[in-house]
Amino acid sequence: MPPVHTDRRQTAGRIVIIGLISLAGGLLINWLHPGGIPPRLLLLALGPVSRQEAWKPVSADSARFLYLQGRARFIDIRPKEDFQLGRIESSVSIPFRELFSTPARTLYHNDTVCVIYDFEEHSEKAVAAVRYLLSKGCSTAVFLRNGYAGWLEDDFPAVKGGK
Amino acid sequence: MLRASFGLLLIYSGIPKLADPFTFSTAVKNYRVLGTDASRLIAVFFPVLEIAAGALLITGFWRRAAVWLNALMMGAFLLLTGQAYVRGLDISCGCFYLDEGKITFLKLLFNAVLAAAAVLLVRETERRDLK
């Protein structure tokens, strides 16, 4: 019968192996999963984008003010079906998963503020989209703090249809 | 029986989290122990670890490693929910994705019972292996 300390080392080693296989498996499954976290976002954890830059919420009031001045471009990251049902006027639909395969130069212009919005407030996806744009050289990406839901609650105008 | 029950519990817990990593990463971040980036990595890795541990518990392969891993995870759940409860965080437990309930004393007690059962399983497994 092997000594107890050998058994414990073996058990600890197996736990480490299980952990490593789970990490590799998790990354693979995430990459293949249509609703997974984009690998570029996972890599952002190691990137140069600072947290202060990443957290740029803007209120619906401010976003509307920028829009009326012609200085805002809205990007709707919700699914296309939701976009069709109702959206902020002049917004463009780029569903979240498609954002990372869309050429960055077509997403923003540095002379307008890129306002990203999802449905709910403080959307993790909206924050992730902002961080992605910042990493691609956009200096003016922000996210709508209370999302499309907050926009509607503030009785700001919404339109239906569009592409 | 206890080992198989934990196995099923872990698999049941892991699959919905695997299906929606963004929601799970938000749940992890809400505990205010890890930042956003670390929460995303955990959201990708942890559900697979749960399912793997669950499968090992059910099959009995690498049994000792599986019961120890289970005990570590149950202990970690207890610590996380305990610190959230003490800090008064009004957040969803996130233990089982479909469970949207807040962290209450009863939920904490449930996690404590699970942790105790996991420790019992470790002791029982060690005892049997020594025979």
Side-chain angles (χ1 to χ4, degrees):
Chain A
M1 189 176 151
V4 174
H5 66 271
T6 307
D7 276 347
R8 284 180 182 161
R9 273 195 300 192
Q10 188 182 61
T11 301
R14 286 174 177 176
I15 289 174
V16 170
I17 290 170
I18 295 166
L20 290 172
I21 292 173
S22 298
L23 179 61
L27 290 170
L28 178 64
I29 291 169
N30 180 72
W31 181 57
L32 294 171
H33 181 21
I37 298 171
R40 291 178 201 184
L41 284 186
L42 294 175
L43 287 175
L44 272 179
L46 308 168
V49 179
S50 71
R51 291 192 185 281
Q52 285 71 36
E53 286 176 341
W55 281 97
K56 284 190 171 181
V58 67
S59 66
D61 279 337
S62 301
R64 177 128 178 94
F65 178 73
L66 287 169
Y67 168 68
L68 291 173
Q69 287 194 322
R71 289 173 49 205
R73 181 174 190 246
F74 290 100
I75 294 181
D76 188 327
I77 61 170
R78 298 173 300 153
K80 284 207 185 289
E81 305 80 48
D82 294 347
F83 179 81
Q84 291 285 330
L85 289 172
R87 58 184 174 85
I88 296 174
E89 190 176 6
S90 84
S91 60
V92 296
S93 172
I94 304 178
F96 183 70
R97 289 295 295 183
E98 292 177 23
L99 189 69
F100 303 93
S101 54
T102 304
R105 65 181 180 279
T106 67
L107 293 173
Y108 66 88
H109 302 283
N110 271 330
D111 55 349
T112 56
V113 177
C114 197
V115 183
I116 312 272
Y117 70 92
D118 198 352
F119 181 74
E120 69 268 16
E121 65 176 80
H122 283 286
S123 161
E124 171 81 358
K125 289 179 184 174
V127 173
V130 167
R131 294 198 69 181
Y132 174 69
L133 285 178
L134 291 173
S135 75
K136 287 296 177 183
C138 173
S139 58
T140 56
V142 296
F143 71 94
L144 197 56
R145 181 186 292 130
N146 291 335
Y148 184 64
W151 181 272
L152 294 177
E153 277 177 13
D154 287 344
D155 279 330
F156 286 135
V159 297
K160 292 186 179 181
K163 292 182 181 178
Chain B
M1 183 74 176
L2 187 60
R3 185 161 50 83
S5 300
F6 268 119
L8 289 170
L9 185 73
L10 287 174
I11 292 174
Y12 173 73
S13 170
I15 289 176
K17 293 169 188 167
L18 201 60
D20 191 351
F22 267 104
T23 303
F24 181 49
S25 80
T26 303
V28 171
K29 192 179 71 171
N30 286 343
Y31 279 90
R32 298 188 197 173
V33 173
L34 297 172
T36 306
D37 299 324
S39 300
R40 286 200 201 107
L41 286 171
I42 291 289
V44 164
F45 153 72
F46 195 76
V48 179
L49 184 68
E50 280 188 299
I51 293 169
L56 289 172
L57 284 170
I58 289 171
T59 58
F61 187 71
W62 284 4
R63 190 179 60 238
R64 285 186 70 198
V67 297
W68 270 102
L69 190 53
N70 178 57
L72 286 170
M73 284 194 286
M74 293 300 143
F77 290 150
L78 180 61
L79 277 173
L80 275 173
T81 50
Q83 65 88 31
Y85 182 77
V86 165
R87 288 164 77 183
L89 299 180
D90 184 23
I91 59 173
S92 172
C93 174
C95 306
F96 308 100
Y97 174 61
L98 296 177
D99 174 16
E100 294 292 335
K102 303 297 179 190
I103 297 173
T104 60
F105 181 72
L106 274 177
K107 205 169 280 280
L108 198 58
L109 201 60
F110 176 68
N111 283 353
V113 167
L114 284 180
V119 169
L120 198 70
L121 183 60
V122 167
R123 289 185 64 179
E124 193 56 35
T125 306
E126 295 279 342
R127 190 179 62 82
R128 281 189 188 181
D129 285 352
L130 279 172
K131 278 187 180 173

